[in-house]
Amino acid sequence: MDHFTNPRNVGEIPNPDGVGEEGNPVCGDMMTFYIKVKDNRLEDVKFKTFGCGAAIAVSSMVSEMAKGKTIEEARRITPELVAKELEGLPKNKFHCSNLGAQALNKAIDDYVAKHGKSV
Ligand code: FES
């Protein structure tokens, strides 16, 4: 609930190293993640979410979990882990947690594609 009413890391990163966008075709909600990478670590992570309360809480939690992690560690953030960190999500909101991990992964893919690294 705290991550919904007081989300962390909202916004955009100027000149990000990677951007990932993910949408949910069922509800039409959208999430964009921006990452800044330094020495293989996610130095900064920000997001913009147009979606339900769970999607906002998930984005906030994913950004907190990913910040400071290496690329490889950030890749291991799964929707299940995010839901667990949020102390559970209502069953009908679990699909919302997929968006966060997927959008973050796409931002990492974008970084990898731009920088020619294979991770
Ligand atoms: Fe769309 Fe939650 S209802 S992401």
Side-chain angles (χ1 to χ4, degrees):
M1 215 37 208
D2 180 42
H3 278 271
F4 168 55
T5 52
N6 183 23
R8 322 323 186 244
N9 307 310
V10 177
E12 251 177 76
I13 297 175
N15 303 316
D17 293 320
V19 180
E21 194 172 75
E22 188 64 39
N24 185 328
V26 179
C27 60
D29 292 348
M30 292 293 298
M31 197 180 277
T32 308
F33 265 83
Y34 305 85
I35 58 171
K36 200 84 189 160
V37 182
K38 194 174 175 202
D39 299 331
N40 199 46
R41 271 186 198 279
L42 300 189
E43 191 182 39
D44 201 8
V45 181
K46 288 201 185 304
F47 72 89
K48 276 186 168 168
T49 292
F50 301 94
C52 69
I56 292 169
V58 161
S59 316
S60 171
M61 180 55 84
V62 168
S63 68
E64 288 273 277
M65 288 167 79
K67 234 181 184 174
K69 294 263 191 334
T70 64
I71 296 282
E72 295 77 11
E73 288 166 344
R75 286 274 200 210
R76 291 198 284 270
I77 296 173
T78 60
E80 291 78 12
L81 273 181
V82 177
K84 199 171 143 210
E85 285 294 321
L86 285 169
E87 290 162 21
L89 281 172
K91 220 181 168 68
N92 64 342
K93 286 286 174 190
F94 189 72
H95 72 276
C96 316
S97 68
N98 291 329
L99 281 185
Q102 284 164 359
L104 175 69
N105 248 300
K106 282 193 172 177
I108 295 173
D109 287 344
D110 185 42
Y111 165 75
V112 170
K114 282 179 184 155
H115 296 78
K117 298 209 173 93
S118 59
V119 282

